[in-house]
Each structure stands twice: as structure tokens, then as C-alpha cells.
């Protein structure tokens, strides 16, 4: 079986999201197929920093450390995911020590110390960070309002058009590790109003020297988006002089809103998936050769372990990746590996 990491080495990095347990259960695939890793959950605030306080005792570094060590041992790059996100962040972060809602200064202080703790611990081992994840709204307004960050530290006191917590997160990360590449990461930013919101945000941050890249997540399906849409988005972000990565790629076999289910992956859908993956990777290769795309990370490695088994329908099996539940290459693998 060919190695994707080797096939793509002249163009871009190929990565996968992992849990600590995946390093054992999926070791063979990881060691042969990818040269970049990201923690699917282990570096998120609720997992790595579950209890208040700043001492070692407030952090749980063991799982993230194991993944970072595995990457270092095998010469893989490590992405950091994620410092500031509205999900998987404990409620105490937004609560005042004496009860009630924390002040903006308190929240930003906690954020700064958290960012400092992670970036100094993993300096030289984690080369790029999703500093802020999913801060943009899917609705008519620009910014996501259902976020503790936005509610407590989302005012725009400096009048730069960006909620202050976002700019601060990037500033703190820059200070904490000037050598780290800093990313804004989001889903749905390949098209429409959200793409332009992400573009405007990235442009302002870039003008202030605070950002190095944009992560387009890539939680797509075998029906959409069209590869032309993806191409334009990569070109648009790249035109800002930023690195662009696809950071969380998986292609659900179910279209958005489809709640049907199957016991096994229907061959017809497997073929459509192979052709969709093939079309996307043709675009990825071309843009990577032109210096406009730096890496593609899958959100998982094989179909036996995917968050899509519980989203958007809890307990419904999905088959979004290149390797099947037995870790064997699917037709989609071959359409990505052969050209
Ligand atoms: O795959 C992750 C899953 O295990 C977690 O339960 C979930 C919590 O919301 O987060 C998933 O990963 C998300 C990623 O961190 C950010 N982009 C969307 C991903 C899928 O929800």
C-alpha cells in the first residue's frame, strides 16, 4: 500500500486528528500514512485545564504530552488545537471568583495565563496553533454570540471592529511563543458570507502581524461543497499572504439534513465518496504546488473512530474517512493516492 505522507511530501503535509488511545489502536496507519498530528480533544481547555488555578495541579497534560512525544519520536509535525473556543471550556473560566459573571479583565487574565502555559510547555514541539476556533456566526450577525468568550470579553473597546478577546488571544500567543505559527480555524468559511467574514478578520489580524494562517476545517459531505468552491476559498485566504491548511477533513456519506441510516456503507455511496475525494485532492495538489496550501489534516484516520457516528444523529454510523472500520484502504484512499 502506498503512503499518503510520502506521495504528498513534495506538495503538502498529510495529517490526522488523534486521541492518546489512537496511537496504539491505529499505530500502523498513523506511522505509514501521515506526517502531522493534532489532538482531537486532548489540548482543549476542559481536558487540559479542567480546574481553576495556574499551578501544574490545575492542568492535565498527560494525554497531550503522550501525543506530542509520539509525534516528536516519529518526526511528525504537531498542530495545536485549540486555545480559545466556545465549546469544551469549563464554566469557571467565565465565573467571577466571588460568584456571578467574571469581568472582562478576569477572563482575559485567565486566557493569557492558559495560553502562556500551553505555548511554553510545547514550545519547539507544536509548531502551529489554532489560536481562536469558530468565532464567526452562521447567522446574519458577524460574530458568534453563544460563546462565554463573547459574552464576557467580546466588546470592542479599541474600536478595531473585532471582539477584543479574539485580538488578545492572538497577542498573547505571539508573546508566549514568537516562533509558533498562529491560525484562525473555522468551519463553513469556504463559501458565502462566512467566507468573507473570515477573510476580513484574517486581513485585519494580518495587517497587525498577529496571524500566520487560516484553517478551513473541511467537515464536508460527498455531496457538497463543489471543489471549485474550495479552490476559490483557498485562493482567497492565500491572497492575504497567509498559510492555508485544511484542518479537519472528513466527507460524510450523508448530505446535510439527511437522517437516513445504513448498516454498512452502500457501494454506490462509496464510489461517490471516492470520486469526491479524488476531485478535492486534485485541487489540493495543484494549489499546494502553487504554494497556496500547506497541509491537509483528516479528522480521524479510519472509519471505526469518527465523531460523525454521533453527529448530527447520535449513534448513526458514518464512513467519512479513507480507511474502513477494519483499517483497510477504501476506494477513496486509492483515488487520493493514485494520480
Ligand atoms: O471530534 C471532536 C469530538 O470528539 C468532540 O466530542 C467534539 C466536542 O464538541 O469536538 C470534536 O471536534 C471538533 C473540533 O474540535 C472543532 N471543529 C469541529 C470538530 C467536530 O465537532
Amino acid at each position: 500500500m502506498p503512503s499518503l505522507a510520502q506521495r504528498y511530501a513534495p506538495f503538502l503535509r498529510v495529517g490526522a486528528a488523534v486521541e492518546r488511545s489512537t496511537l496504539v489502536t491505529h499505530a500502523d496507519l498513523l506511522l505509514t500514512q501521515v506526517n502531522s498530528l493534532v489532538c482531537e480533544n486532548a489540548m482543549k481547555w476542559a481536558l487540559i485545564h479542567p480546574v481553576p488555578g495556574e499551578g501544574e495541579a490545575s492542568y492535565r497534560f498527560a494525554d497531550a504530552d503522550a501525543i506530542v512525544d509520539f509525534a516528536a519520536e516519529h518526526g511528525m509535525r504537531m498542530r495545536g488545537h485549540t486555545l480559545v473556543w466556545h465549546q469544551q471550556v469549563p464554566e469557571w473560566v467565565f465565573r467571577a471568583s466571588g460568584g456571578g459573571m467574571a469581568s472582562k479583565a478576569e477572563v482575559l487574565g485567565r486566557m493569557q495565563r492558559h495560553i502562556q502555559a500551553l505555548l511554553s510547555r510545547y514550545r519547539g514541539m507544536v509548531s502551529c496553533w489554532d489560536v481562536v476556533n469558530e468565532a464567526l456566526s452562521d447567522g446574519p450577525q458577524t460574530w458568534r454570540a453563544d460563546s462565554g468568550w463573547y459574552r464576557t470579553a467580546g466588546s470592542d473597546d479599541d474600536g478595531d471592529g473585532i471582539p477584543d478577546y479574539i485580538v488578545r488571544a492572538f497577542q498573547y500567543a505571539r508573546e508566549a511563543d514568537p516562533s509558533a505559527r498562529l491560525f484562525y480555524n473555522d468551519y463553513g468559511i469556504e463559501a458565502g458570507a462566512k467566507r468573507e467574514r473570515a477573510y476580513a478578520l484574517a486581513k485585519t489580524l494580518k495587517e497587525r502581524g498577529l496571524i500566520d494562517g487560516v484553517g478551513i476545517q473541511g467537515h464536508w459531505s460527498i455531496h457538497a461543497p463543489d471543489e471549485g468552491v474550495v479552490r476559490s476559498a483557498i485562493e482567497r485566504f492565500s491572497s492575504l499572504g497567509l498559510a492555508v491548511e485544511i484542518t479537519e477533513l472528513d466527507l460524510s456519506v450523508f448530505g446535510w439534513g439527511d437522517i437516513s441510516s445504513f448498516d454498512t456503507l452502500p457501494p454506490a455511496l462509496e464510489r461517490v465518496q471516492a470520486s469526491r475525494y479524488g476531485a478535492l485532492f486534485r485541487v489540493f495538489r495543484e494549489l499546494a504546488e502553487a504554494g497556496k496550501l500547506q497541509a491537509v489534516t483528516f479528522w480521524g484516520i479510519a472509519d471505526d473512530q469518527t465523531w460523525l457516528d454521533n453527529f448530527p444523529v447520535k449513534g448513526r454510523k458514518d464512513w467519512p474517512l479513507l480507511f474502513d472500520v477494519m483499517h483497510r484502504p477504501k476506494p477513496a484512499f486509492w483515488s487520493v493516492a493514485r494520480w
Side-chain angles (χ1 to χ4, degrees):
M1 180 164 69
S3 156
L4 289 183
Q6 277 173 23
R7 286 292 277 145
Y8 279 84
F11 309 101
L12 39 73
R13 282 192 181 272
V14 180
V18 296
E19 305 284 12
R20 184 182 188 172
S21 56
T22 324
L23 304 178
V24 178
T25 55
H26 296 67
D28 291 352
L29 285 180
L30 295 172
L31 291 174
T32 52
Q33 296 298 330
V34 306
N35 51 18
S36 175
L37 294 180
V38 60
C39 300
E40 183 168 349
N41 288 294
M43 284 190 186
K44 293 171 181 173
W45 195 310
L47 286 103
I48 205 164
H49 189 180
V51 287
E54 294 307 325
E56 280 261 343
S58 301
Y59 287 85
R60 303 285 180 273
F61 288 120
D63 289 353
D65 282 359
I67 295 168
V68 169
D69 288 346
F70 181 94
E73 190 184 328
H74 298 288
M76 298 176 179
R77 178 191 75 149
M78 191 72 217
R79 303 193 84 249
H81 176 83
T82 176
L83 299 170
V84 175
W85 189 27
H86 65 286
Q87 287 187 32
Q88 290 176 291
V89 54
E91 257 315 304
W92 61 260
V93 175
F94 309 115
R95 241 189 353 249
S97 322
M101 196 164 108
S103 70
K104 182 173 179 177
E106 243 174 324
V107 169
L108 291 177
R110 282 177 190 143
M111 178 204 273
Q112 180 171 24
R113 292 187 294 274
H114 176 87
I115 290 176
Q116 172 67 37
L118 266 63
L119 269 66
S120 63
R121 186 175 189 90
Y122 298 120
R123 181 190 288 258
M125 302 180 93
V126 173
S127 55
C128 68
W129 284 94
D130 291 334
V131 177
V132 176
N133 192 45
E134 302 175 5
L136 292 166
S137 150
D138 298 316
Q141 68 278 33
T142 301
W143 308 104
R144 174 186 291 280
D146 61 338
S147 155
W149 297 110
Y150 187 82
R151 283 197 301 270
T152 56
S155 58
D156 178 19
D157 296 348
D158 57 9
D160 62 359
I162 302 176
D164 290 340
Y165 83 89
I166 298 176
V167 178
R168 291 301 186 91
F170 280 92
Q171 284 170 340
Y172 298 151
R174 253 307 176 251
E175 286 158 18
D177 181 0
S179 69
R181 314 263 290 152
L182 308 184
F183 277 66
Y184 177 73
N185 190 55
D186 210 335
Y187 63 85
I189 56 169
E190 59 277 351
K194 205 170 173 187
R195 183 186 86 170
E196 289 314 298
R197 289 172 191 158
Y199 177 85
L201 170 61
K203 184 168 187 288
T204 305
L205 291 170
K206 169 74 178 166
E207 283 159 3
R208 296 171 63 175
L210 292 174
I211 192 172
D212 305 297
V214 172
I216 301 172
Q217 291 186 2
H219 293 296
W220 297 323
S221 85
I222 61 170
H223 305 296
D226 180 80
E227 67 273 19
V229 167
V230 175
R231 172 197 295 277
S232 314
I234 294 170
E235 288 183 324
R236 183 128 176 88
F237 293 124
S238 170
S239 74
L240 288 169
L242 294 170
V244 180
E245 299 195 15
I246 306 295
T247 50
E248 306 185 16
L249 183 60
D250 46 22
L251 297 190
S252 172
V253 304
F254 302 102
W256 192 246
D258 176 358
I259 54 158
S260 60
S261 64
F262 309 104
D263 293 335
T264 55
L265 173 54
L269 296 188
E270 191 171 47
R271 283 194 295 275
V272 177
Q273 186 179 52
S275 107
R276 295 305 308 147
Y277 263 117
L280 283 168
F281 272 80
R282 268 193 297 282
V283 168
F284 295 161
R285 287 193 295 274
E286 189 189 320
L287 293 177
E289 262 193 305
K292 297 176 179 172
L293 179 69
Q294 274 66 43
V296 176
T297 297
F298 292 92
W299 207 241
I301 185 75
D303 285 344
D304 59 323
Q305 213 179 90
T306 166
W307 75 290
L308 288 169
D309 284 351
N310 289 302
F311 184 89
V313 183
K314 194 152 181 54
R316 178 185 67 177
K317 185 71 202 129
D318 203 341
W319 299 269
L321 297 161
L322 300 187
F323 297 92
D324 71 12
V325 293
M326 304 297 289
H327 301 190
R328 295 170 305 210
K330 293 161 66 181
F333 169 82
W334 295 107
S335 66
V336 169
R338 277 193 192 133
W339 68 84

